Amino acid sequence: NSLRESGSYRGALDLNYRDFARHYEYMSQLVNRSNCRCYLVMVTMETVIDNTLPNIEAIEHALKCMEQAICEKIRRVDICTRYSSMQYLIILFEPKASQIEKIMERIFMQYYKMCDKDFFKPSYEAIPMMEKQNDQ
């Protein structure tokens, strides 16, 4: 069970976007060639609609917490990068579809342990990385 080693991987977020894109290309080819299933997960930090907008410090803190949560809770085989100011991309390597929710739940629980719930509510979307279907 590879979930047990989960959380021991560090430095996933040291990748810049170009390196991440290279990994993504490589993984896509792997998916096509070997029929393994990978998922691209986009994590978005959504602002909780409220009268109080977060200040820069609150935003920085929330992002730091999310990065730390991702690093601590993704599995060793997964890859991650910061995609835009409020988004992260994670490639989950060959998870069972049922594992995705658990992995993301662990990340978000860790995030909420470290960070105030007042400003941001993280959400995610998981998209299977598959071979490009021929256009009909």
Side-chain angles (χ1 to χ4, degrees):
N1 183 344
S2 69
L3 286 179
R4 213 164 294 128
E5 295 111 68
S6 162
S8 53
Y9 181 51
R10 291 289 177 277
L13 286 149
D14 296 346
L15 281 180
N16 64 34
Y17 186 69
R18 194 181 303 131
D19 289 342
F20 180 86
R22 226 174 273 140
H23 280 284
Y24 181 84
E25 265 315 297
Y26 173 73
M27 302 283 262
S28 297
Q29 289 168 12
L30 204 66
V31 167
N32 291 342
R33 260 185 267 138
S34 64
N35 219 359
C36 68
R37 294 182 69 85
C38 295
Y39 286 81
L40 179 66
V41 180
M42 180 175 273
V43 177
T44 305
M45 303 290 281
E46 294 176 9
T47 316
V48 175
I49 303 302
D50 194 2
N51 303 342
T52 54
L53 277 174
N55 59 22
I56 294 294
E57 284 81 26
I59 294 171
E60 283 304 312
H61 179 65
L63 293 173
K64 216 168 266 144
C65 291
M66 180 50 77
E67 291 194 8
Q68 201 178 327
I70 291 172
C71 281
E72 286 176 17
K73 298 299 175 188
I74 62 174
R75 302 160 312 153
R76 219 183 277 163
V77 291
D78 302 327
I79 300 169
C80 181
T81 192
R82 174 115 161 240
Y83 174 59
S84 70
S85 58
M86 304 307 266
Q87 290 179 315
Y88 296 90
L89 291 179
I90 304 171
I91 296 175
L92 295 178
F93 182 73
E94 293 228 277
K96 294 186 188 78
S98 63
Q99 274 184 335
I100 296 171
E101 195 180 339
K102 290 185 183 93
I103 293 167
M104 298 314 295
E105 232 166 65
R106 283 203 309 265
I107 291 172
F108 289 174
M109 275 168 62
Q110 181 68 16
Y111 167 78
Y112 283 132
K113 260 186 225 159
M114 298 185 292
C115 200
D116 213 335
K117 292 184 180 62
D118 289 351
F119 293 127
F120 294 104
K121 193 176 139 319
S123 67
Y124 75 92
E125 184 186 357
I127 304 146
M129 287 169 61
M130 297 202 176
E131 57 217 272
K132 295 169 188 64
Q133 303 298 320
N134 294 333
D135 289 325
Q136 305 287 303

